[in-house]
Amino acid sequence: MTYLILGEKSLINLEIDKILKQETDYSLIKYDLEEDLITKVIEELNTVDLFSSKKIVVVSSFEKIEEEQEEELINYLEKSKDDNILILTALKVDERKKIIKIIKKNNKVIDTSTANIDSFIKEELKGYKIDFRALNMLKEYTNYNYYKIVQEINKLKMLKQEEKEITTDDIKSIVKKGFDKNIFDFIKAVDEKNYKKIFEIYYELIDNKEDELKIMATLANTFRLLYKIKVLGKVKTDDELMTIFNIKKSYRLMKLKEEAYSYDKNKLLKYLKELSELDISIKSGAIDKKLGMEMFLTKI
């Protein structure tokens, strides 16, 4: 059996989970066509597993399959009679390609690209009430990741199985903020010079085992992105900005633009310069990363 699953990664993972739950006694093997050739995948499928009755082989980045290797996969699909399961995943594919037409004709295609996140959440919370503010908070806290949303909804449903109503207080108490959400709040606190909030978020990130260098790099990347959006936002449309910066959600672009316009360009360049100098000092051993990060935050 072969599946082709299209769409956003977290939705793909949910669909893979559904397939795995239907199977028993299997070995799970993963490949990525960004790094592996389809030849390697087919060799895996044609090799007998000594410990399980079947293999489930998940291949991500299927859109990267090399043209000269498509016939090799077609040959496998047409002749294979084993019990193995091949799961091909991609954000999207070229419907005109021969390999796609063959897969769609004889195998199962699951296209999640048209999913609506609000409808998805309401369906998962069927039988429960959730208002607009709580729904938006849940999306933000989970970074709009469908896989995380399902995990957090399961916890919320257990908490509120009697009241059957999810509130913002419930989400604040149960749902762990995603890294991106924390960083976004961090950036806002920096702009407002809200030192209490700055250090509250910073130590929350540290408690969540985030490394200081990762926090620094993310701050620098976000400041750089805000600077570019501030400059290009004057001459580019929203659609053009989303394409240039590979932003998938219009809501995320809206929030970035709001934040960019609240910052002075020179302030953004100043922070970038200071973070670059701090990075060099830490990596050269001139200063401890924890101390360096705290000193940077105190002089913002």
Side-chain angles (χ1 to χ4, degrees):
M1 181 67 179
T2 299
Y3 294 86
L4 173 61
I5 309 177
L6 305 173
E8 193 262 338
K9 187 176 179 181
S10 62
L11 270 172
I12 286 174
N13 287 338
L14 284 174
E15 293 298 332
I16 292 174
D17 273 1
K18 291 178 188 176
I19 295 169
L20 296 182
K21 285 175 182 176
Q22 297 171 10
E23 302 295 331
T24 57
D25 190 27
Y26 61 84
S27 296
L28 180 63
I29 305 104
K30 297 183 180 181
Y31 290 96
D32 188 335
L33 294 192
E34 288 271 19
E35 302 169 358
D36 305 304
L37 294 175
I38 201 69
T39 301
K40 191 174 179 181
V41 175
I42 294 171
E43 286 175 357
E44 183 71 62
L45 289 162
N46 287 329
T47 304
V48 175
D49 194 311
L50 299 176
F51 305 101
S52 306
S53 62
K54 72 177 70 170
K55 293 180 181 180
I56 298 180
V57 180
V58 179
V59 180
S60 55
S61 309
F62 179 61
E63 70 276 13
K64 301 292 184 182
I65 186 171
E66 295 183 1
E67 193 172 338
E68 60 271 20
Q69 289 204 313
E70 289 182 12
E71 285 299 327
E72 193 174 349
L73 179 57
I74 290 171
N75 186 54
Y76 168 79
L77 294 175
E78 290 178 341
K79 294 181 178 179
S80 172
K81 294 181 180 178
D82 57 43
D83 293 327
N84 294 330
I85 295 174
L86 174 61
I87 303 175
L88 307 167
T89 73
L91 180 62
K92 59 183 178 179
V93 291
D94 186 345
E95 302 283 343
R96 300 167 298 178
K97 296 178 78 171
K98 179 182 176 182
I99 182 67
I100 302 303
K101 290 178 180 177
I102 288 174
I103 290 172
K104 293 185 77 170
K105 182 179 178 181
N106 301 314
N107 300 280
K108 186 164 184 180
V109 177
I110 303 171
D111 189 351
T112 69
S113 60
T114 58
N116 177 280
I117 195 166
D118 288 1
S119 300
F120 177 85
I121 292 172
K122 288 173 183 176
E123 181 63 28
E124 289 292 318
L125 281 171
K126 188 178 286 185
Y128 288 73
K129 292 181 180 178
I130 183 168
D131 66 23
F132 180 73
R133 286 180 63 242
L135 187 143
N136 279 338
M137 183 179 288
L138 177 60
K139 290 189 293 186
E140 289 181 4
Y141 273 40
T142 55
N143 298 331
Y144 293 78
N145 183 299
Y146 286 83
Y147 198 83
K148 289 180 182 176
I149 285 169
V150 170
Q151 292 176 317
E152 299 301 337
I153 281 177
N154 288 337
K155 290 191 287 185
L156 288 164
K157 285 164 78 173
M158 287 181 66
L159 175 72
K160 304 304 291 283
Q161 55 187 326
E162 291 186 9
E163 297 93 330
K164 303 288 185 186
E165 183 172 1
I166 310 297
T167 67
T168 53
D169 286 339
D170 297 327
I171 292 168
K172 287 176 184 176
S173 65
I174 292 294
V175 181
K176 181 180 174 182
K177 284 184 187 177
F179 181 72
D180 288 351
K181 169 62 178 168
N182 261 325
I183 287 296
F184 199 88
D185 289 344
F186 201 13
I187 295 287
K188 186 169 182 166
V190 168
D191 178 41
E192 295 170 350
K193 292 190 180 296
N194 184 339
Y195 291 99
K196 181 178 181 294
K197 191 72 175 173
I198 288 170
F199 280 96
E200 179 183 304
I201 296 170
Y202 174 66
Y203 289 123
E204 184 177 342
L205 288 167
I206 297 300
D207 287 343
N208 289 339
K209 309 300 181 188
E210 300 293 353
D211 184 75
E212 287 88 350
L213 290 176
K214 178 184 176 182
I215 297 170
M216 277 177 51
T218 307
L219 277 178
N221 289 338
T222 307
F223 285 137
R224 193 174 294 109
L225 177 60
L226 293 177
Y227 178 81
K228 290 177 180 178
I229 286 175
K230 192 172 184 71
V231 173
L232 291 177
K234 297 176 181 178
V235 294
K236 299 289 185 182
T237 66
D238 284 359
D239 286 343
E240 287 173 327
L241 289 174
M242 289 178 73
T243 300
I244 291 168
F245 298 115
N246 194 29
I247 297 171
K248 300 289 192 301
K249 310 281 186 183
S250 57
Y251 177 78
R252 174 167 168 74
L253 177 63
M254 180 187 75
K255 297 294 283 184
L256 285 167
K257 285 177 70 175
E258 285 176 3
E259 204 59 49
Y261 296 145
S262 72
Y263 269 96
D264 176 73
K265 276 196 305 184
N266 292 328
K267 187 188 290 185
L268 289 169
L269 290 174
K270 172 178 174 287
Y271 291 155
L272 282 170
K273 181 174 181 292
E274 289 175 354
L275 284 168
S276 175
E277 291 171 349
L278 178 57
D279 183 60
I280 293 170
S281 296
I282 290 171
K283 290 177 178 175
S284 66
I287 191 171
D288 173 74
K289 60 184 179 181
K290 184 176 184 297
L291 176 61
M293 192 64 198
E294 289 175 348
M295 287 177 63
F296 168 75
L297 294 175
T298 57
K299 63 180 183 180
I300 282 174

PDB file of all heavy atoms in Angstrom, residues 236-249:
ATOM      1  N   LYS A 236       6.347  46.983  -1.177  1.00  0.00           N
ATOM      2  CA  LYS A 236       5.869  45.656  -1.568  1.00  0.00           C
ATOM      3  C   LYS A 236       4.476  45.397  -1.000  1.00  0.00           C
ATOM      4  O   LYS A 236       4.120  45.885   0.066  1.00  0.00           O
ATOM      5  CB  LYS A 236       6.809  44.563  -1.057  1.00  0.00           C
ATOM      6  CG  LYS A 236       8.245  44.650  -1.590  1.00  0.00           C
ATOM      7  CD  LYS A 236       8.317  44.273  -3.054  1.00  0.00           C
ATOM      8  CE  LYS A 236       9.771  44.249  -3.540  1.00  0.00           C
ATOM      9  NZ  LYS A 236       9.860  43.938  -4.992  1.00  0.00           N
ATOM     10  N   THR A 237       3.691  44.584  -1.720  1.00  0.00           N
ATOM     11  CA  THR A 237       2.374  44.179  -1.229  1.00  0.00           C
ATOM     12  C   THR A 237       2.533  43.075  -0.185  1.00  0.00           C
ATOM     13  O   THR A 237       3.606  42.471  -0.061  1.00  0.00           O
ATOM     14  CB  THR A 237       1.499  43.640  -2.374  1.00  0.00           C
ATOM     15  OG1 THR A 237       2.086  42.414  -2.873  1.00  0.00           O
ATOM     16  CG2 THR A 237       1.388  44.654  -3.504  1.00  0.00           C
ATOM     17  N   ASP A 238       1.451  42.797   0.540  1.00  0.00           N
ATOM     18  CA  ASP A 238       1.502  41.725   1.544  1.00  0.00           C
ATOM     19  C   ASP A 238       1.813  40.385   0.895  1.00  0.00           C
ATOM     20  O   ASP A 238       2.577  39.582   1.440  1.00  0.00           O
ATOM     21  CB  ASP A 238       0.172  41.641   2.304  1.00  0.00           C
ATOM     22  CG  ASP A 238       0.026  42.748   3.332  1.00  0.00           C
ATOM     23  OD1 ASP A 238       0.962  43.568   3.464  1.00  0.00           O
ATOM     24  OD2 ASP A 238      -1.013  42.800   4.011  1.00  0.00           O
ATOM     25  N   ASP A 239       1.218  40.119  -0.263  1.00  0.00           N
ATOM     26  CA  ASP A 239       1.478  38.848  -0.959  1.00  0.00           C
ATOM     27  C   ASP A 239       2.949  38.733  -1.345  1.00  0.00           C
ATOM     28  O   ASP A 239       3.545  37.657  -1.226  1.00  0.00           O
ATOM     29  CB  ASP A 239       0.610  38.728  -2.218  1.00  0.00           C
ATOM     30  CG  ASP A 239      -0.853  38.430  -1.879  1.00  0.00           C
ATOM     31  OD1 ASP A 239      -1.107  38.005  -0.736  1.00  0.00           O
ATOM     32  OD2 ASP A 239      -1.718  38.617  -2.753  1.00  0.00           O
ATOM     33  N   GLU A 240       3.525  39.840  -1.782  1.00  0.00           N
ATOM     34  CA  GLU A 240       4.945  39.828  -2.152  1.00  0.00           C
ATOM     35  C   GLU A 240       5.827  39.598  -0.924  1.00  0.00           C
ATOM     36  O   GLU A 240       6.804  38.846  -0.982  1.00  0.00           O
ATOM     37  CB  GLU A 240       5.311  41.150  -2.845  1.00  0.00           C
ATOM     38  CG  GLU A 240       4.753  41.276  -4.253  1.00  0.00           C
ATOM     39  CD  GLU A 240       4.973  42.658  -4.853  1.00  0.00           C
ATOM     40  OE1 GLU A 240       4.965  43.661  -4.092  1.00  0.00           O
ATOM     41  OE2 GLU A 240       5.147  42.743  -6.077  1.00  0.00           O
ATOM     42  N   LEU A 241       5.468  40.230   0.191  1.00  0.00           N
ATOM     43  CA  LEU A 241       6.239  40.047   1.421  1.00  0.00           C
ATOM     44  C   LEU A 241       6.170  38.604   1.899  1.00  0.00           C
ATOM     45  O   LEU A 241       7.173  38.029   2.344  1.00  0.00           O
ATOM     46  CB  LEU A 241       5.711  40.977   2.520  1.00  0.00           C
ATOM     47  CG  LEU A 241       5.994  42.469   2.355  1.00  0.00           C
ATOM     48  CD1 LEU A 241       5.277  43.260   3.440  1.00  0.00           C
ATOM     49  CD2 LEU A 241       7.490  42.756   2.399  1.00  0.00           C
ATOM     50  N   MET A 242       4.999  37.986   1.809  1.00  0.00           N
ATOM     51  CA  MET A 242       4.840  36.596   2.240  1.00  0.00           C
ATOM     52  C   MET A 242       5.685  35.659   1.381  1.00  0.00           C
ATOM     53  O   MET A 242       6.269  34.696   1.884  1.00  0.00           O
ATOM     54  CB  MET A 242       3.362  36.190   2.183  1.00  0.00           C
ATOM     55  CG  MET A 242       2.525  36.849   3.269  1.00  0.00           C
ATOM     56  SD  MET A 242       0.763  36.435   3.198  1.00  0.00           S
ATOM     57  CE  MET A 242       0.807  34.736   3.802  1.00  0.00           C
ATOM     58  N   THR A 243       5.790  35.967   0.099  1.00  0.00           N
ATOM     59  CA  THR A 243       6.619  35.156  -0.804  1.00  0.00           C
ATOM     60  C   THR A 243       8.105  35.369  -0.511  1.00  0.00           C
ATOM     61  O   THR A 243       8.872  34.402  -0.396  1.00  0.00           O
ATOM     62  CB  THR A 243       6.324  35.514  -2.277  1.00  0.00           C
ATOM     63  OG1 THR A 243       4.951  35.262  -2.556  1.00  0.00           O
ATOM     64  CG2 THR A 243       7.201  34.687  -3.214  1.00  0.00           C
ATOM     65  N   ILE A 244       8.509  36.614  -0.368  1.00  0.00           N
ATOM     66  CA  ILE A 244       9.923  36.946  -0.129  1.00  0.00           C
ATOM     67  C   ILE A 244      10.429  36.299   1.156  1.00  0.00           C
ATOM     68  O   ILE A 244      11.525  35.725   1.186  1.00  0.00           O
ATOM     69  CB  ILE A 244      10.105  38.490  -0.047  1.00  0.00           C
ATOM     70  CG1 ILE A 244       9.879  39.121  -1.422  1.00  0.00           C
ATOM     71  CG2 ILE A 244      11.519  38.840   0.464  1.00  0.00           C
ATOM     72  CD1 ILE A 244       9.761  40.637  -1.377  1.00  0.00           C
ATOM     73  N   PHE A 245       9.626  36.356   2.221  1.00  0.00           N
ATOM     74  CA  PHE A 245      10.078  35.868   3.530  1.00  0.00           C
ATOM     75  C   PHE A 245       9.522  34.483   3.888  1.00  0.00           C
ATOM     76  O   PHE A 245       9.695  34.018   5.008  1.00  0.00           O
ATOM     77  CB  PHE A 245       9.699  36.884   4.617  1.00  0.00           C
ATOM     78  CG  PHE A 245      10.343  38.228   4.424  1.00  0.00           C
ATOM     79  CD1 PHE A 245       9.578  39.345   4.150  1.00  0.00           C
ATOM     80  CD2 PHE A 245      11.727  38.369   4.484  1.00  0.00           C
ATOM     81  CE1 PHE A 245      10.171  40.595   3.955  1.00  0.00           C
ATOM     82  CE2 PHE A 245      12.321  39.611   4.299  1.00  0.00           C
ATOM     83  CZ  PHE A 245      11.550  40.716   4.032  1.00  0.00           C
ATOM     84  N   ASN A 246       8.886  33.847   2.909  1.00  0.00           N
ATOM     85  CA  ASN A 246       8.352  32.494   3.096  1.00  0.00           C
ATOM     86  C   ASN A 246       7.440  32.416   4.327  1.00  0.00           C
ATOM     87  O   ASN A 246       7.556  31.515   5.158  1.00  0.00           O
ATOM     88  CB  ASN A 246       9.501  31.476   3.224  1.00  0.00           C
ATOM     89  CG  ASN A 246       9.019  30.044   3.090  1.00  0.00           C
ATOM     90  OD1 ASN A 246       8.025  29.773   2.411  1.00  0.00           O
ATOM     91  ND2 ASN A 246       9.702  29.125   3.748  1.00  0.00           N
ATOM     92  N   ILE A 247       6.542  33.398   4.433  1.00  0.00           N
ATOM     93  CA  ILE A 247       5.579  33.437   5.531  1.00  0.00           C
ATOM     94  C   ILE A 247       4.291  32.780   5.049  1.00  0.00           C
ATOM     95  O   ILE A 247       3.715  33.198   4.041  1.00  0.00           O
ATOM     96  CB  ILE A 247       5.323  34.888   5.986  1.00  0.00           C
ATOM     97  CG1 ILE A 247       6.615  35.498   6.542  1.00  0.00           C
ATOM     98  CG2 ILE A 247       4.217  34.948   7.026  1.00  0.00           C
ATOM     99  CD1 ILE A 247       6.533  36.990   6.812  1.00  0.00           C
ATOM    100  N   LYS A 248       3.849  31.748   5.769  1.00  0.00           N
ATOM    101  CA  LYS A 248       2.706  30.960   5.306  1.00  0.00           C
ATOM    102  C   LYS A 248       1.362  31.555   5.732  1.00  0.00           C
ATOM    103  O   LYS A 248       0.361  31.385   5.053  1.00  0.00           O
ATOM    104  CB  LYS A 248       2.798  29.527   5.857  1.00  0.00           C
ATOM    105  CG  LYS A 248       4.060  28.765   5.438  1.00  0.00           C
ATOM    106  CD  LYS A 248       4.028  28.390   3.972  1.00  0.00           C
ATOM    107  CE  LYS A 248       5.123  27.397   3.600  1.00  0.00           C
ATOM    108  NZ  LYS A 248       6.478  27.849   3.853  1.00  0.00           N
ATOM    109  N   LYS A 249       1.320  32.235   6.873  1.00  0.00           N
ATOM    110  CA  LYS A 249       0.056  32.707   7.424  1.00  0.00           C
ATOM    111  C   LYS A 249      -0.039  34.230   7.331  1.00  0.00           C
ATOM    112  O   LYS A 249       0.870  34.949   7.766  1.00  0.00           O
ATOM    113  CB  LYS A 249      -0.072  32.300   8.900  1.00  0.00           C
ATOM    114  CG  LYS A 249       0.195  30.817   9.178  1.00  0.00           C
ATOM    115  CD  LYS A 249      -0.990  29.974   8.813  1.00  0.00           C
ATOM    116  CE  LYS A 249      -0.753  28.527   9.223  1.00  0.00           C
ATOM    117  NZ  LYS A 249      -1.862  27.659   8.822  1.00  0.00           N
TER     118      LYS A 249
END
